[in-house]
Amino acid sequence: MPYHFESISFCGTQPGKRLIVLGGVHGNEPCGTLAIRRVVDELESGALTILAGSVTFVPVCNPLARAQYTRAGERNLNRRLFPTKNPQQFEDHVANWLCPLLASHDVLLDLHSFHTPGEPFAMLGPKNNQGSLEPFEHDVEEEALARHLGVKLFVDGWLDTYANGVAQRQVRLDKEGADVRYGVGTTEYMRSQGGYGLTLECGQHEDAEAPAVAYRAILNTLAWLGLSGHDKPEETRGRRTLRLFEVVDKHHASDRLAREWRGFERLEAGTLIGTRHDGEEIRATETVYIVFPNPGAEPGSEWFYLARAVERV
């Protein structure tokens, strides 16, 4: 079955930021698609208007994964996201279309959901730096937007932690082909092109409230950037930030988590997190928070992340 790519754009009469909003990067995460369709309907009916700048909506980034209602079509679109001259997998074709579209905008809001129950949260990028891993110069703007999305929880340290995980994987598997770029997704690519962006995880995949979280975030972003002319949203109070510092891979199909962890559950030192197929126990060595626990992870892929509380947003 052939698939096509869809984007919908609205432009105001005054100059302003160029925003792009993505849904359906993963096919089993419907909240972004539903929220985008709702906002597009309001724009087309005249209930909402873009007065300045422009906004582009991509309701379904990965139509193959969406048709299958699976996380990926042939691979994870939100890893190793960059154009290629010789596309092999379906997601390579998506990237060849999506990456230039991202590069033509200033700001990205990417709407997602997650496996297990937990609180909605936004993924932050790095502080300003000129390093080789993820150079960046818009942390003030990015963090300001994050504070006005309508969520209280923030997570940072993604690519740095992923790079360390790649290094460990190289040692464990003696796998020279492991590539830090595999950790590059939509927001990382956006930052590499001079823009900034946030991934918003709106709740569990089938949470009935997740589309409302995504919808509110879109409206708040349009208002905060001055595109809709609505009053700017107030800062969310009671914010907290967790910093990823370790990714633990699943090594074997028989590796098992100790129980069905909730995302961001606090684990005291000594807590049994999971057990390897050979009986090796994985325990928290300090007070940590478990992030992205995935009991259905494939061997060789991320099983869960660990994070510490920090002062940031």
Side-chain angles (χ1 to χ4, degrees):
M1 176 179 176
Y3 297 95
H4 63 262
F5 306 127
E6 177 189 26
S7 64
I8 307 161
S9 296
F10 299 87
C11 298
T13 58
Q14 301 300 314
K17 291 286 189 182
R18 298 167 297 173
L19 170 68
I20 182 168
V21 183
L22 306 183
V25 167
H26 295 131
N28 61 341
E29 301 179 10
C31 63
T33 301
L34 293 172
I36 287 172
R37 298 290 189 200
R38 181 178 174 185
V39 174
V40 168
D41 285 348
E42 291 183 1
L43 286 163
E44 291 179 339
S45 71
L48 179 65
T49 303
I50 300 302
L51 301 179
S54 66
V55 57
T56 298
F57 296 100
V58 181
V60 179
C61 284
N62 192 333
L64 173 59
R66 179 62 180 173
Q68 298 173 169
Y69 207 73
T70 54
R71 181 173 175 81
E74 296 180 339
R75 69 169 176 84
N76 189 345
L77 177 61
N78 216 27
R79 304 287 187 274
R80 206 176 74 241
L81 182 71
F82 46 83
T84 178
K85 292 181 179 179
N86 298 300
Q88 301 297 315
Q89 296 170 305
F90 181 78
E91 282 74 6
D92 297 334
H93 295 283
V94 180
N96 282 349
W97 170 75
L98 182 60
C99 287
L101 190 60
L102 290 172
S104 68
H105 291 77
D106 303 313
V107 185
L108 163 66
L109 178 62
D110 189 5
L111 302 165
H112 287 257
S113 56
F114 43 84
H115 298 281
T116 54
E119 180 181 354
F121 65 96
M123 294 284 291
L124 297 173
K127 301 297 287 184
N128 286 348
N129 72 94
Q130 295 300 315
S132 59
L133 183 62
E134 194 175 9
F136 191 48
E137 56 182 21
H138 296 296
D139 68 3
V140 173
E141 297 97 323
E142 189 172 279
E143 291 183 19
L145 174 57
R147 292 195 297 270
H148 295 84
L149 288 179
V151 297
K152 296 181 178 180
L153 181 60
F154 305 89
V155 178
D156 70 11
W158 157 255
L159 193 55
D160 205 32
T161 301
Y162 197 88
N164 291 335
V166 167
Q168 294 173 14
R169 202 169 295 142
Q170 287 174 328
V171 171
R172 186 173 66 84
L173 301 177
D174 191 24
K175 189 175 180 181
E176 294 295 333
D179 189 347
V180 169
R181 292 187 303 169
Y182 186 73
V184 171
T186 57
T187 50
E188 290 79 22
Y189 187 81
M190 189 73 181
R191 295 180 192 118
S192 77
Q193 300 301 300
Y196 65 91
L198 294 166
T199 294
L200 181 64
E201 299 278 355
C202 301
Q204 192 176 25
H205 296 326
E206 305 301 333
D207 186 342
E209 296 302 315
V213 172
Y215 172 77
R216 179 180 61 191
I218 296 172
L219 295 187
N220 284 354
T221 300
L222 292 172
W224 177 252
L225 295 176
L227 305 189
S228 66
H230 290 182
D231 291 340
K232 290 190 174 183
E234 295 183 359
E235 284 194 11
T236 304
R237 299 183 181 276
R239 302 183 305 270
R240 61 193 180 103
T241 302
L242 301 180
R243 179 158 297 155
L244 301 173
F245 69 91
E246 183 177 0
V247 55
V248 178
D249 286 354
K250 192 171 187 176
H251 295 172
H252 190 278
S254 297
D255 291 351
R256 292 288 182 267
L257 294 175
R259 63 181 180 83
E260 185 175 336
W261 299 107
R262 290 178 60 89
F264 306 105
E265 195 163 347
R266 178 185 168 107
L267 310 181
E268 301 297 333
T271 300
L272 177 65
I273 302 174
T275 305
R276 299 287 187 193
H277 75 288
D278 60 3
E280 176 192 356
E281 294 183 342
I282 303 173
R283 294 183 178 271
T285 58
E286 59 182 283
T287 298
V288 295
Y289 297 83
I290 189 167
V291 184
F292 297 130
N294 182 6
E298 295 293 325
S301 64
E302 306 112 288
W303 197 16
F304 58 87
Y305 286 77
L306 297 176
R308 301 183 182 101
V310 297
E311 294 292 333
R312 177 167 172 171
V313 173

